[in-house]
Amino acid sequence: MIPLQLTLEGLYSYQKRQTIDFQTLTEAGLFGIFGQVGSGKSSILEAISFALYGETERLHSRDNRAYNMMNLKSNRSYIEFDFINFENKKFRATREFKRNSKNFEDVKASAVLYEWKNDTWVTLETTKADEIIGLTYANFKRTIIIPQGQFKEFLELGAKDRTVMMKEIFGLERFDLQYKIADLSNENKSKTGFLEGQLQGYEEINEDYISRQKEIVKQQTEIYNSITLEFKDLEKKYLKQTTLKTDFELLGHKTELLKKLEIQKIEVDVLEKKTEKYDQVFKVFNPLLSEKLKLEKLQAGQAEDQTQQKKILEKIESEFTRVKKDLETISPQFKALEENKIQEHDLNLIVQMLAFSEEIKKVKDRTKNGGEKVNEVINEQVLLEEKIALFTKNSDDLKAKRIDADVLLNVGKWFSTNQYLKESFLNQSQKVIDCKANIQQISEELKVLKINEKTYLEDFKSKMELLENQKKNLNDQRNHLEVQQKLAHFSTELHDGESCPLCGALEHPNIVEFTDVKAEIENVESQLRDLEVEQKAHHNESSAIEKMLERKKIFENQLVAEEEVCEKIKLNQKNHLNAFEWKEFHAENEAEFEQKRKEAIHLEKQIEELSLKISVEQKNRQNSQQNLDKFKKALQDLQLQENKVETQISSNQSNLKFLNWNDFKDENRVKIEENLAQLRISNRETEENYQLLTRKETELSPKLAAQKAIVDQLEKRISEIENEILSHHLLLNEALLSFQFDTVSDVQKILTEDIKVLENREKIHHFKMEFGILTNSISELSLKLKDFTFDIEEFARLENDFETKKGETQSAGETLAKLKGEIDRLEIEFKKKEVLLKDLDQLKKRAENLKVMTNLFKGAGFVQYASSIYLRQLCDHANIRFHRMTRNQLSLQLNENNDFEIVDYLNEGHKRSVKTLSGGQAFQVSLSLALALAESVQSHAIAERNFFFIDEGFGTQDPESVQVVFETLLSLQKENRIVGIISHVEELKEKMPVSLNITKDDERGSLIELV
């Protein structure tokens, strides 16, 4: 992850909106965030973590987190964090808090995640960044942003928790195959059980059973063939008699049907005549009657339309007459309109001239007041000049008395350094005394033990070898006794005819007798236990002596080093005293220097106050001059304005046409304006009314002509329709005469019957065809059967014999089909059984393989093995930096339980717990591990660069260690890594290529400055 930009507002001590451009910081590769305690440095990391995960180290959800994170002077908190993830995609995470205006402690929070796509921010459905970053919050704070109090967490994690973390970061779940193997085993067991269940249904299916069934089929086939042959002969006779029976029955049926059709023929003939008459009348009269009805409707419609159009014509004529009359009334007023407009123009000019006169009066009054103000400002400037001169003289007098600030600064530094050297010498002397006391104490303890420091290792070795030899002899003795005891047990169990458990012989002629050695074995084991206790006590005593000697050696080396430092401080004190070169002060009298420094500070304060007064008065003088220039310019502008207005009055007077200015210059301007407004309204109304009436006359004239034309056209059309009705009446009378009808109602009576001509004709045609076909069919059947007779009783006997034989044949066929089907089924099932047996054999082999794999991957053992490999690689990478930081004195390694431990090369490479490290050493090893872990995470990600933030630990380092740590961090730039640190250590701040300085203002809250 690479940060791009962070915006904070209303969060913790950040009251006002602050924005950090991380691109400027990350380009340097190494940057720092510095500030006093409580200034808000760590809040930056909390804001990033909370924006991404909604979690912080200081507060949990149960802590009313939203309220406690919000600045108490703010009603809204906002976090906006832009970053690039490991896939080189750009994202934005935002978090916002809003305070309830009615309840101060009620704060609502919201979160939104965006992705930059197609030059715009697209809202994502999720609000968690786990998948985007590729890390959970717990591992994010272990590998990318490490908050206060969490730096040693990875180092001190238990083996189980560390394995879980390694599994997540490096994707080691791909090695956790125990559940997959269990699923495969369960699946294999399920398949095996299913196959075994299937095979239970195939127990009776075998090759012998199938052969016996085939022999039965052969016998049944012969029986079926014999019955079938008999059935076919009988079937021929039966079919012949059946055909003859059918023909005689058909002849009788058709004869009966013909009699019924002859009765229906009379009705059909009547229907045919009636249908033909209806068809003739419909074809002639239906068009004539339809046309008659159409003409009558058209005549009525035209008459109604004529009535409506005449009403419209009368309305238009009335409107036209009214407009003509109104035009005649308004014409005199319209003719006088031009003169009224000229009068309106003159009145408007006179109103402007009256306003200009009033403005000239006001300008003259302002010009008088402005002249008085200019004189007042000139007098004020004279007083200001006198004040400035007095303050300048006093300031010069004070400056002549002050001491050089550089001298005061250097002397102050000298006294501070001198005090520091004195305190350092006292502290160092105490360290020397402490070292000597520790050495003396250890020496006294060694005297009590009465050992020789030079030969104690050889003495210990000899003693241990002696004890080991005694232990070996006792073990051999115990083994011999145990064998003897076992042989005694075997000898008591030997009986003739039973095999010997050792040699297998059935006869036992000379059985050896053994005595009971149980008491001797217990005696030997008691001696062995005593020896082990003695060994352990001797080993513990040796370890204690060894540790005491190591401590003495460390204190002796430390004493030499501390005495060297003490001598160096003495030399520095001497050189520092010789460097005192200021004659006006005394090296032994620091109080005198402090008094003069206070006097100098007081003098500087007086000079500063005078300078401030001079500056204020100069600014007042400058403001006064600006006011004077402004007032003079205003007087000039007023004079120009007066001349401009008088010119405008003259111009307006020359443009008057009817009215005289002298008649109005003393009049009230408001009254003239009222008269002008009334005249304008009157002129506008006259012009608008005349134009409206003229426009209406123009619109109504063509409408009136068009409406008259419409009425005339309708009268003409009605006349034409009446002529058409008369002609059509003559045609209808001719048709009635030709069909011998008296009136139209006779025709309508026939047409109301609604006879379906086509349907009736189809029905008549179908009847005639059916009648003819039936007559011909009866003739043909009579001719066919004239030489045959049919006996119903003989047919019944034949039919009974046929059905009996048919049943026997079907029964034999079904039996044969069932037998053949059963053989086919048995052969298919036998093949299935062979396949199932083969599959079952494969599943059993697979079960054996899965059992072996289950033992291999049981209890996530393989994941722990893979995790241990990754951890050892991390150790190797971390030790590269840890060696350099500790000057090759310490090393990190994993023990057999995959827990971290320290190898101490100052103490002959002995191992000890990481919990024994000092605060500074713990920081060094934690930093080395964190960098190695971050590098491993980066190597498994796609991103070319990665980011790492540290928020603690630098205060525990001495100046030399700080330099080593800084060089380590600086070297990360060459490894394409970005590292940010948070600290208040000034030495680091001076070394940083770029950094942020956080300050806290009482009014504005925490402020961020790029340094």
Side-chain angles (χ1 to χ4, degrees):
M1 182 200 75
I2 303 296
L4 300 177
Q5 181 173 291
L6 176 65
T7 299
L8 302 174
E9 181 183 355
L11 186 77
Y12 289 128
S13 58
Y14 290 88
Q15 182 180 348
K16 302 296 183 182
R17 176 166 289 209
Q18 300 289 307
T19 299
I20 300 174
D21 181 7
F22 276 106
Q23 291 178 312
T24 304
L25 300 173
T26 55
E27 285 174 1
L30 177 63
F31 66 91
I33 298 178
F34 298 93
Q36 297 298 320
V37 175
S39 61
K41 303 185 296 298
S42 298
S43 299
I44 294 172
L45 299 193
E46 276 205 57
I48 294 174
S49 299
F50 191 75
L52 293 174
Y53 294 94
E55 296 288 347
T56 67
E57 279 305 298
R58 278 193 276 187
L59 296 170
H60 301 283
S61 56
R62 61 178 178 273
D63 297 327
N64 195 6
R65 180 165 53 200
Y67 168 77
N68 286 306
M69 289 180 71
M70 181 181 283
N71 185 280
L72 292 176
K73 294 182 180 179
S74 302
N75 292 321
R76 175 180 179 266
S77 295
Y78 182 70
I79 307 171
E80 181 181 280
F81 181 51
D82 295 351
F83 63 95
I84 295 174
N85 76 338
F86 64 92
E87 295 176 320
N88 208 27
K89 293 180 180 179
K90 186 177 177 182
F91 293 89
R92 169 174 288 174
T94 65
R95 299 272 173 173
E96 185 175 15
F97 303 150
K98 288 186 178 179
R99 197 186 301 279
N100 188 339
S101 58
K102 297 180 180 179
N103 184 355
F104 186 79
E105 294 186 1
D106 182 19
V107 178
K108 303 296 183 186
S110 62
V112 184
L113 269 176
Y114 303 90
E115 183 177 358
W116 183 256
K117 289 183 177 179
N118 301 323
D119 296 330
T120 187
W121 288 110
V122 179
T123 305
L124 301 179
E125 294 182 1
T126 182
T127 58
K128 294 288 186 179
D130 302 56
E131 295 182 2
I132 296 172
I133 301 296
L135 294 170
T136 62
Y137 173 64
N139 290 330
F140 178 79
K141 67 182 183 180
R142 292 167 180 158
T143 58
I144 293 184
I145 291 183
I146 304 179
Q148 287 183 352
Q150 299 294 321
F151 203 61
K152 295 197 298 180
E153 182 185 10
F154 178 66
L155 182 67
E156 295 177 352
L157 275 177
K160 181 179 178 182
D161 293 336
R162 194 183 298 114
T163 299
V164 172
M165 175 183 170
M166 300 292 288
K167 179 179 176 181
E168 178 187 325
I169 293 177
F170 297 107
L172 301 185
E173 65 275 358
R174 63 185 186 276
F175 298 122
D176 190 2
L177 304 177
Q178 61 173 328
Y179 301 109
K180 293 183 180 179
I181 297 300
D183 292 341
L184 291 174
S185 296
N186 292 332
E187 182 183 354
N188 196 68
K189 287 179 183 178
S190 177
K191 288 181 178 179
T192 302
F194 181 71
L195 284 179
E196 289 174 346
Q198 285 183 303
L199 285 169
Q200 288 178 358
Y202 294 91
E203 291 178 352
E204 296 181 355
I205 299 174
N206 51 59
E207 292 180 350
D208 292 340
Y209 181 73
I210 294 172
S211 297
R212 290 196 299 271
Q213 291 297 316
K214 285 183 177 179
E215 186 63 31
I216 294 172
V217 168
K218 184 178 178 182
Q219 296 173 2
Q220 187 63 33
T221 303
E222 293 174 356
I223 295 170
Y224 174 73
N225 291 337
S226 174
I227 294 173
T228 302
L229 189 60
E230 294 175 0
F231 174 71
K232 287 182 178 179
D233 291 339
L234 186 60
E235 185 180 23
K236 288 178 182 179
K237 296 176 182 180
Y238 174 73
L239 289 176
K240 185 177 180 180
Q241 287 298 314
T242 301
T243 304
L244 190 62
K245 177 178 178 287
T246 302
D247 288 343
F248 274 104
E249 289 175 349
L250 183 60
L251 179 61
H253 175 70
K254 289 186 176 182
T255 302
E256 292 295 325
L257 186 60
L258 181 61
K259 291 177 182 178
K260 293 179 181 179
L261 290 178
E262 287 174 346
I263 296 171
Q264 292 179 8
K265 190 173 182 303
I266 298 170
E267 297 176 359
V268 171
D269 291 340
V270 173
L271 179 64
E272 185 177 11
K273 290 178 182 180
K274 190 176 181 180
T275 300
E276 291 301 324
K277 184 177 182 181
Y278 175 85
D279 186 40
Q280 292 174 1
V281 171
F282 182 82
K283 287 179 179 178
V284 173
F285 286 97
N286 189 59
L288 291 172
L289 292 175
S290 298
E291 184 65 21
K292 178 175 178 289
L293 182 62
K294 177 183 174 184
L295 289 171
E296 288 173 351
K297 287 182 179 179
L298 183 61
Q299 184 183 28
Q302 292 293 325
E304 184 180 356
D305 198 14
Q306 184 185 33
T307 302
Q308 294 293 331
Q309 294 299 329
K310 281 183 178 180
K311 289 181 180 179
I312 294 171
L313 178 61
E314 290 173 359
K315 184 178 180 181
I316 293 173
E317 285 177 342
S318 174
E319 181 70 15
F320 186 73
T321 303
R322 185 185 63 77
V323 169
K324 279 282 189 184
K325 187 178 179 181
D326 291 344
L327 273 173
E328 290 174 359
T329 303
I330 204 171
S331 289
Q333 298 175 16
F334 185 73
K335 289 178 181 178
L337 183 62
E338 188 62 32
E339 293 180 2
N340 289 340
K341 284 188 175 182
I342 294 172
Q343 186 178 0
E344 178 186 339
H345 172 265
D346 286 357
L347 277 176
N348 186 44
L349 292 174
I350 287 170
V351 168
Q352 291 179 6
M353 293 163 71
L354 288 171
F356 291 149
S357 298
E358 294 172 0
E359 187 176 351
I360 288 173
K361 184 178 179 182
K362 291 179 182 178
V363 168
K364 286 181 178 178
D365 292 341
R366 289 177 63 191
T367 302
K368 181 181 177 182
N369 294 334
E372 295 174 355
K373 189 66 178 176
V374 167
N375 293 331
E376 182 181 335
V377 171
I378 291 172
N379 294 332
E380 182 182 338
Q381 280 189 327
V382 173
L383 293 174
L384 288 172
E385 289 292 345
E386 292 175 353
K387 280 186 180 182
I388 291 170
L390 178 61
F391 289 150
T392 303
K393 182 177 181 303
N394 293 338
S395 176
D396 292 341
D397 294 342
L398 291 173
K399 286 179 181 178
K401 298 177 182 178
R402 68 182 177 185
I403 304 172
D404 188 357
D406 290 338
V407 171
L408 287 173
L409 180 63
N410 291 332
V411 174
K413 284 182 179 179
W414 188 92
F415 278 113
S416 296
T417 304
N418 191 53
Q419 182 64 28
Y420 172 75
L421 289 172
K422 287 180 179 178
E423 292 174 357
S424 297
F425 181 75
L426 291 175
N427 292 335
Q428 196 62 35
S429 299
Q430 186 61 43
K431 287 181 181 180
V432 170
I433 294 168
D434 293 342
C435 284
K436 289 180 179 179
N438 289 329
I439 292 169
Q440 182 62 31
Q441 182 182 355
I442 294 170
S443 299
E444 293 296 330
E445 291 174 359
L446 289 172
K447 285 180 181 179
V448 174
L449 294 174
K450 298 178 180 180
I451 62 160
N452 188 336
E453 294 182 24
K454 296 179 180 180
T455 63
Y456 92 95
L457 285 175
E458 292 296 328
D459 296 341
F460 168 73
K461 187 175 180 182
S462 300
K463 180 67 174 176
M464 288 300 291
E465 287 177 355
L466 177 61
L467 292 173
E468 195 63 38
N469 290 332
Q470 291 176 0
K471 186 177 179 181
K472 183 179 178 183
N473 293 332
L474 287 172
N475 279 325
D476 292 342
Q477 187 179 349
R478 183 181 62 181
N479 292 337
H480 177 72
L481 291 171
E482 286 176 348
V483 171
Q484 189 175 346
Q485 186 183 34
K486 196 69 176 175
L487 289 172
H489 173 71
F490 286 144
S491 66
T492 59
E493 296 296 325
L494 289 177
H495 301 286
D496 288 337
E498 295 180 1
S499 60
C500 176
L502 299 178
C503 63
L506 297 176
E507 296 180 357
H508 320 293
N510 298 309
I511 299 175
V512 180
E513 293 183 2
F514 295 93
T515 58
D516 188 6
V517 293
K518 184 176 180 181
E520 295 180 23
I521 291 174
E522 290 177 354
N523 182 39
V524 170
E525 287 179 346
S526 175
Q527 293 180 44
L528 280 170
R529 286 194 294 270
D530 293 340
L531 273 177
E532 286 176 355
V533 171
E534 186 177 355
Q535 274 185 317
K536 188 173 181 180
H538 191 62
H539 186 274
N540 291 339
E541 181 184 358
S542 176
S543 298
I545 293 169
E546 186 177 352
K547 288 180 181 178
M548 291 169 66
L549 291 173
E550 286 175 358
R551 286 174 57 209
K552 183 179 178 183
K553 184 178 179 182
I554 290 170
F555 285 129
E556 288 173 347
N557 293 335
Q558 186 178 353
L559 177 61
V560 172
E562 299 296 355
E563 287 176 341
E564 289 177 356
V565 172
C566 197
E567 291 299 322
K568 188 175 180 182
I569 292 173
K570 282 184 182 179
L571 181 61
N572 289 339
Q573 282 182 311
K574 182 178 179 182
N575 294 334
H576 186 67
L577 185 62
N578 294 333
F580 192 87
E581 57 184 11
W582 301 279
K583 297 178 180 180
E584 59 268 37
F585 300 103
H586 300 90
E588 299 82 10
N589 194 349
E590 186 177 357
E592 176 192 6
F593 164 74
E594 288 297 332
Q595 180 63 31
K596 289 185 177 181
R597 182 162 65 175
K598 288 178 182 178
E599 292 173 357
I601 291 171
H602 179 68
L603 187 64
E604 287 294 332
K605 189 174 181 181
Q606 288 180 318
I607 293 171
E608 187 177 351
E609 290 175 353
L610 285 172
S611 298
L612 182 61
K613 288 180 180 179
I614 292 170
S615 176
V616 169
E617 296 302 333
Q618 286 176 342
K619 189 172 183 181
N620 291 337
R621 182 181 62 185
Q622 184 179 358
N623 292 337
S624 178
Q625 184 62 41
Q626 289 176 353
N627 291 336
L628 180 61
D629 296 339
K630 183 171 67 174
F631 293 148
K632 287 181 178 180
K633 186 176 184 304
L635 286 175
Q636 293 174 359
D637 292 341
L638 289 171
Q639 188 63 44
L640 290 173
Q641 186 178 357
E642 183 180 351
N643 295 336
K644 182 179 178 181
V645 172
E646 288 177 347
T647 303
Q648 190 66 43
I649 291 174
S650 301
S651 175
N652 284 5
Q653 187 174 359
S654 64
N655 289 327
L656 292 174
K657 295 180 179 179
F658 287 165
L659 302 179
N660 190 339
W661 163 242
N662 294 325
D663 296 337
F664 293 92
K665 63 182 180 180
D666 296 327
E667 293 289 334
N668 188 328
R669 180 166 63 89
V670 176
K671 184 178 179 182
I672 302 299
E673 286 177 346
E674 291 175 354
N675 294 336
L676 174 61
Q678 292 175 357
L679 183 60
R680 280 177 177 167
I681 292 170
S682 176
N683 291 341
R684 185 169 63 252
E685 288 178 350
T686 300
E687 185 174 10
E688 289 176 353
N689 290 336
Y690 184 81
Q691 290 175 352
L692 178 64
L693 291 170
T694 304
R695 188 165 59 252
K696 283 186 176 181
E697 182 187 20
T698 305
E699 292 173 354
L700 289 172
S701 182
K703 281 185 179 180
L704 182 61
Q707 192 63 30
K708 286 180 178 180
I710 290 171
V711 172
D712 293 341
Q713 185 67 26
L714 284 171
E715 289 178 351
K716 184 178 178 182
R717 178 58 182 154
I718 290 170
S719 177
E720 291 174 353
I721 292 171
E722 289 174 349
N723 292 332
E724 288 181 13
I725 291 172
L726 182 60
S727 299
H728 187 268
H729 185 68
L730 294 173
L731 291 174
L732 184 60
N733 288 336
E734 289 176 2
L736 290 171
L737 187 62
S738 64
F739 277 89
Q740 298 178 355
F741 289 122
D742 294 333
T743 62
V744 174
S745 59
D746 295 336
V747 176
Q748 290 174 338
K749 184 178 179 181
I750 293 172
L751 292 176
T752 53
E753 293 181 6
D754 192 22
I755 295 173
K756 295 178 175 54
V757 176
L758 293 177
E759 186 178 330
N760 288 348
R761 283 178 176 170
E762 180 67 24
K763 185 176 179 183
I764 293 165
H765 175 70
H766 179 72
F767 177 80
K768 287 181 178 181
M769 283 184 65
E770 184 180 359
F771 189 82
I773 290 170
L774 185 59
T775 304
N776 293 334
S777 177
I778 291 172
S779 299
E780 291 175 357
L781 277 173
S782 298
L783 182 64
K784 177 181 177 182
L785 298 174
K786 68 179 182 177
D787 297 328
F788 293 95
T789 59
F790 177 74
D791 188 347
I792 190 66
E793 293 180 357
E794 185 180 350
F795 179 77
R797 287 195 301 272
L798 180 62
E799 185 177 30
N800 184 50
D801 294 342
F802 173 76
E803 292 296 334
T804 301
K805 187 58 68 175
K806 181 180 178 182
E808 292 176 358
T809 306
Q810 287 179 345
S811 177
E814 289 173 358
T815 302
L816 181 61
K818 287 179 181 179
L819 289 170
K820 287 183 176 180
E822 179 65 13
I823 288 174
D824 293 339
R825 184 189 71 80
L826 288 172
E827 289 179 341
I828 292 171
E829 295 299 316
F830 185 73
K831 290 180 180 178
K832 288 182 179 178
K833 181 178 180 181
E834 290 178 333
V835 173
L836 290 174
L837 287 170
K838 184 178 179 181
D839 291 344
L840 181 61
D841 184 57
Q842 290 179 351
L843 287 174
K844 287 181 178 178
K845 291 179 180 178
R846 181 173 175 77
E848 293 297 325
N849 294 334
L850 288 172
K851 185 176 180 182
V852 174
M853 295 178 72
T854 299
N855 293 330
L856 285 174
F857 297 108
K858 182 166 58 179
F862 199 62
V863 174
Q864 294 174 0
Y865 172 71
S867 174
S868 66
I869 292 175
Y870 277 85
L871 279 173
R872 294 185 191 283
Q873 291 176 349
L874 280 178
C875 267
D876 293 340
H877 292 152
N879 276 327
I880 295 172
R881 294 189 176 92
F882 189 43
H883 288 167
R884 185 164 62 246
M885 291 182 189
T886 61
R887 304 171 189 86
N888 296 318
Q889 294 176 3
L890 301 176
S891 178
L892 186 69
Q893 71 175 24
L894 285 172
N895 61 20
E896 62 276 5
N897 296 322
N898 273 349
D899 287 326
F900 288 117
E901 60 184 15
I902 296 297
V903 178
D904 191 342
Y905 295 111
L906 288 179
N907 292 289
E908 299 182 0
H910 288 292
K911 303 163 191 166
R912 56 189 173 100
S913 170
V914 293
K915 296 179 181 179
T916 63
L917 293 173
S918 66
Q921 291 171 334
F923 170 77
Q924 291 171 344
V925 71
S926 298
L927 175 61
S928 302
L929 263 179
L931 291 173
L933 183 61
E935 286 169 358
S936 297
V937 172
Q938 179 185 359
S939 66
H940 285 78
I942 304 172
E944 295 179 357
R945 306 183 75 194
N946 217 325
F947 180 70
F948 183 71
F949 223 129
I950 307 169
D951 183 15
E952 65 173 287
F954 297 98
T956 63
Q957 304 295 295
D958 56 43
E960 188 176 354
S961 296
V962 168
Q963 180 61 31
V964 173
V965 171
F966 178 75
E967 290 173 359
T968 301
L969 296 176
L970 200 61
S971 67
L972 295 175
Q973 291 178 286
K974 300 176 183 178
E975 301 169 15
N976 210 19
R977 290 190 53 75
I978 303 166
V979 178
I981 65 170
I982 289 182
S983 181
H984 56 270
V985 178
E986 287 298 322
E987 291 88 340
L988 275 176
K989 183 178 180 181
E990 295 170 0
K991 297 174 184 294
M992 283 294 156
V994 63
S995 62
L996 297 177
N997 188 41
I998 313 298
T999 58
K1000 190 172 181 182
D1001 185 88
D1002 293 338
E1003 295 297 327
R1004 296 182 294 167
S1006 293
L1007 304 175
I1008 299 173
E1009 178 187 8
L1010 181 66
V1011 180

